[in-house]
Amino acid sequence: MTDLPTTATSPDTLRDAFGRVRSEVGKAVVGQEGAVSGMIVGLLAQGHVLLEGVPGVAKTLMVRSLAAAMALDTKRIQFTPDLMPGDVTGSLVYDASTGTFPFREGPVFTNVLLADEVNRTPPKTQSALLEAMEERQVSVDGTPKPLPDPFFVAATMNPIEFEGTYTLPEAQLDRFLMKLTLEIPPRDVEWQVLRRHADGFVPRDVRSAGITPVVGVDEVRAGQRAVRAVGARDDVLAYVVDLARATRAAPSVRVGVSPRGATALLAAAKAWAWLTGYDAVTPDHVQAMLLPVWRHRLRVAADAELEGVGADGVLQQVLEQVRVPI
């Protein structure tokens, strides 16, 4: 593993290091700066991220590049209809030489787990992953086995193929801190992608893009502690509550944001505040994080969906209607 710089002790130095993570990922991934920032926010807020986009928009490459820039161990699971819970968490395997059943760790025992096409596996296997995400441990024969720290899941979903998929229910979607959407890049960005491939870039080898680790496990943990220490005034907390209650009262919404969704928004806003150099959350940080944190927690009414109303549109209206504290 490449040697890392000495663990940063200054808050500004530590924050700058995470800024360099974005630059390193940008060596391999072009045109997805917002999604990269969202993943860093999710990691620092100790949450997990759902990535949605059509095939070929660099979802897998982005996760692998992020792990490489942070010198974190990473594994990938390709979810399929025949995947079993033990294929994710691990299982007891008989050892003929000793006559015992030692536990063989599954791919969930890593720092950064890429759960590819998580909606292609049955609910039982989905639940095994989501339980590990929530509890940060796996129970084996009644004995808890803690997962590595940090532990971060980036799960991908394909928004255009529904045949052979198992939709994640609302309660499971709510376990993800954020849902990030990756769009087809504009023409100039797509040209840059082809230019890099023409120059010899190999997506399966992120090191070929020149990515070097700029933070490690100690820095990630220090960043998470710094985010937890970010403050929030009472009026900003009241603003988050008012926003959540406004989603429940919106006429086009069947199910609004729960109190857990409000705490998730606060956690993401604290991470974004820290990354942008603030020691307390402002309304701007709340507004910046509202769409990615809440878009998968709303259930728009069927008649509104038929009229083309989506979660993002509802949330934009809520932002316009709720008074912002000064």
Side-chain angles (χ1 to χ4, degrees), residues 87-122:
D87 297 328
V88 175
T89 60
S91 56
L92 298 174
V93 179
Y94 178 67
D95 185 346
S97 62
T98 62
T100 60
F101 289 86
F103 176 67
R104 181 178 296 171
E105 293 182 348
V108 76
F109 285 84
T110 187
N111 296 125
V112 178
L113 178 67
L114 173 59
D116 218 351
E117 295 187 291
V118 68
N119 58 331
R120 288 204 175 277
T121 201

Side-chain angles (χ1 to χ4, degrees), residues 9 17 22 42 52 67 91 102 112 137 149 208-209 250 303 326:
T9 54
R22 283 181 280 189
E52 185 176 84
S91 56
V112 178
Q137 67 179 26
D149 179 28
S208 68
D303 55 345
I326 299 175

